[in-house]
């Protein structure tokens, strides 16, 4: 297909999305950039910052109008461990082997046979290393040099990431004996109230796409699709489910919305991470009404909303 035909067949949303990917709108101030991003990734939908109703809209609103300094600590994958341990105890924290500013600094000889490397400042910068099977150090160095050069703020304007120091952290490798994977339990919380969660499965399975399955607080299936397909077989409720909800409520108290992530490995509960902007606020819900339902749970600051209306 010729370039002209591709342009003619593209929707306005796709054209905007491609322009964003090329960095053509990097110059734009946050409100304009977020309107363009929302339009591009939400299928041409208009972002209403003055009167946001949808959850995804309110996440964009939050990027501009809720900028607490503590958010930078909460999204830093190294610093968040200390922050969380002070609130719920260090028995839930995954063991850290080291933190480095550059991949060349990593002392592989000091690390166990199998471990996890990941960047502290972005999403997706992760590698599982098994020294018994051999690994390409130069390939790892190239991967992490590239990841360290990225800034999540520039891509999605998620303000807390703007000042996170790019580093590499090595953690203990965890795998549940029964499921033979590391399932992720992600709780949507609203000022200390847990409303829903989803379970991420098959993340390390090269033969299957990662699956997301949403549940209510009694672990009833909500039949939501959001970013990933549902699993062929629903993941069973974890043994530590009630404790997960209890800790998620503690960690989210005082914040209008926060996603709190956990793992369960061989019956033991571990903290995963804190997420302020689920999928960057640009992932549609199916059915669509769930975008409004999550939006109703997220009560934005009314005084701040009034100040926006005057602008």
């Amino acid at each position: 297909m010729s370039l002209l035909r591709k342009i003619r067949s593209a929707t306005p949303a796709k054209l905007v999305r491609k322009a964003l990917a090329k960095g053509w709108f990097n110059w734009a101030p946050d409100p304009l950039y977020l309107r363009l991003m929302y339009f591009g990734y939400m299928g041409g939908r208009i972002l209403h910052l003055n009167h946001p109703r949808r959850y995804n809209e309110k996440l964009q609103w939050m990027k501009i109008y809720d900028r607490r300094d503590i958010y930078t600590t909460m999204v830093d994958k190294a610093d968040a461990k200390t922050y969380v341990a002070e609130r719920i105890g260090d028995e839930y924290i995954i063991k850290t082997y080291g933190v480095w500013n550059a991949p060349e600094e990593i002392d592989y000889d000091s690390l166990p046979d199998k471990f996890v490397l990941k960047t502290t400042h972005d999403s997706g910068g992760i590698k599982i290393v098994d020294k018994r099977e051999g690994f390409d150090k130069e390939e790892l160095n190239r991967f992490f040099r590239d990841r360290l050069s990225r800034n999540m703020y520039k891509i999605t304007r998620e303000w807390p990431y703007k000042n996170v120091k790019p580093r590499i952290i090595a953690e203990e490798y965890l795998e549940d004996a029964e499921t033979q994977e590391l399932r992720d339990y992600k709780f949507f919380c609203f000022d200390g109230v847990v409303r829903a969660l989803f379970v991420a499965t098959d993340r390390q399975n090269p033969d299957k796409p990662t699956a997301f399955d949403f549940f209510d607080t009694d672990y009833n299936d909500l039949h939501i699709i959001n970013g990933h397909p549902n699993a062929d077989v629903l993941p069973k409720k974890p043994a530590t489910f009630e404790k997960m909800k209890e800790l998620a409520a503690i960690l989210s108290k005082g914040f209008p919305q926060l996603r709190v992530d956990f793992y369960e490995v061989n019956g033991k509960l571990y903290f995963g991470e804190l997420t302020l902007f689920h999928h960057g606020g640009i992932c549609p819900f199916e059915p669509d009404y769930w975008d409004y339902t999550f939006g109703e749970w997220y009560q934005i600051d009314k005084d701040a909303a009034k100040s926006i209306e005057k602008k």
Side-chain angles (χ1 to χ4, degrees):
M1 182 182 291
S2 68
L3 178 60
L4 182 59
R5 289 180 63 187
K6 286 182 178 179
I7 293 174
R8 286 175 174 172
S9 64
T11 64
K14 287 183 179 178
L15 291 173
V16 169
R17 194 161 65 242
K18 288 181 179 180
L20 288 165
K22 292 179 180 294
W24 292 354
F25 293 114
N26 286 354
W27 56 268
D30 289 351
L32 174 58
Y33 187 94
L34 292 175
R35 284 186 168 93
L36 290 167
M37 185 179 70
Y38 191 86
F39 178 88
Y41 285 90
M42 296 293 285
R45 187 168 288 156
I46 302 301
L47 172 61
H48 301 285
L49 282 175
N50 288 354
H51 301 284
R53 294 179 57 210
R54 294 173 176 271
Y55 180 61
N56 281 313
E57 285 183 318
K58 290 185 177 182
L59 290 180
Q60 308 311 322
W61 181 95
M62 181 182 178
K63 292 176 185 180
I64 302 173
Y65 297 104
D66 186 358
R67 297 190 169 187
R68 310 183 199 190
D69 291 340
I70 192 60
Y71 288 161
T72 295
T73 299
M74 292 165 67
V75 302
D76 185 310
K77 290 181 176 61
D79 293 347
K81 290 187 174 189
T82 302
Y83 173 84
V84 169
E86 290 173 349
R87 285 153 182 80
I88 63 173
D90 58 11
E91 64 267 30
Y92 302 107
I93 306 302
I94 298 173
K95 184 176 181 179
T96 298
Y97 296 124
V99 183
W100 302 275
N101 295 318
E104 293 80 10
E105 298 176 2
I106 300 173
D107 181 7
Y108 288 99
D109 292 336
S110 69
L111 297 172
D113 286 341
K114 199 168 186 178
F115 55 93
V116 177
L117 289 176
K118 58 186 179 183
T119 47
T120 62
H121 71 298
D122 75 341
S123 176
I126 182 170
K127 290 287 186 180
I128 297 172
V129 180
D130 191 337
K131 294 198 294 189
R132 295 166 300 187
E133 296 179 355
F135 65 98
D136 189 331
K137 186 184 297 186
E138 289 306 313
E139 182 181 344
L140 284 174
N141 286 350
R142 284 193 297 270
F143 174 81
F144 282 106
R145 277 197 297 268
D146 175 66
R147 301 303 303 199
L148 290 175
S149 69
R150 300 187 182 193
N151 189 314
M152 284 277 290
Y153 166 73
K154 292 181 179 179
I155 301 170
T156 59
R157 298 299 168 95
E158 297 180 36
W159 174 83
Y161 287 98
K162 188 174 185 178
N163 297 313
V164 176
K165 183 179 180 180
R167 294 174 290 170
I168 304 165
I169 184 172
E171 290 184 341
E172 179 183 7
Y173 174 80
L174 299 174
E175 183 180 290
D176 183 73
E178 180 180 353
T179 64
Q180 295 187 322
E181 65 172 334
L182 187 62
R183 291 184 173 176
D184 217 343
Y185 302 89
K186 301 172 179 289
F187 291 79
F188 292 87
C189 310
F190 303 86
D191 195 9
V193 179
V194 179
R195 294 287 193 175
L197 74 143
F198 72 90
V199 185
T201 56
D202 289 322
R203 302 186 87 170
Q204 290 85 40
N205 189 338
D207 300 320
K208 286 186 176 182
T210 297
F212 286 178
D213 291 282
F214 283 72
F215 301 89
D216 66 14
T217 53
D218 293 319
Y219 211 76
N220 297 308
D221 184 17
L222 294 177
H223 306 289
I224 295 173
I225 295 178
N226 179 246
H228 291 271
N230 296 146
D232 296 333
V233 178
L234 285 178
K236 70 177 185 180
K237 182 167 67 174
T240 58
F241 182 65
E242 294 302 323
K243 190 64 177 181
M244 287 181 182
K245 289 195 296 182
E246 176 188 332
L247 297 180
I250 293 171
L251 290 172
S252 63
K253 184 64 178 176
F255 302 103
Q257 78 85 33
L258 181 66
R259 204 188 76 202
V260 184
D261 301 354
F262 295 105
Y263 304 113
E264 182 182 275
V265 181
N266 302 326
K268 180 171 172 52
L269 169 60
Y270 293 93
F271 164 73
E273 63 182 32
L274 300 174
T275 300
L276 291 161
F277 305 100
H278 171 67
H279 276 319
I282 50 174
C283 188
F285 285 82
E286 300 176 30
D288 182 61
Y289 66 79
W290 282 106
D291 204 355
Y292 288 103
T293 300
F294 277 67
E296 290 173 358
W297 292 335
Y298 177 11
Q299 296 296 308
I300 62 176
D301 187 291
K302 300 299 183 181
D303 292 332
K306 288 178 182 178
S307 70
I308 298 173
E309 294 172 8
K310 296 177 182 179
K311 294 183 179 181

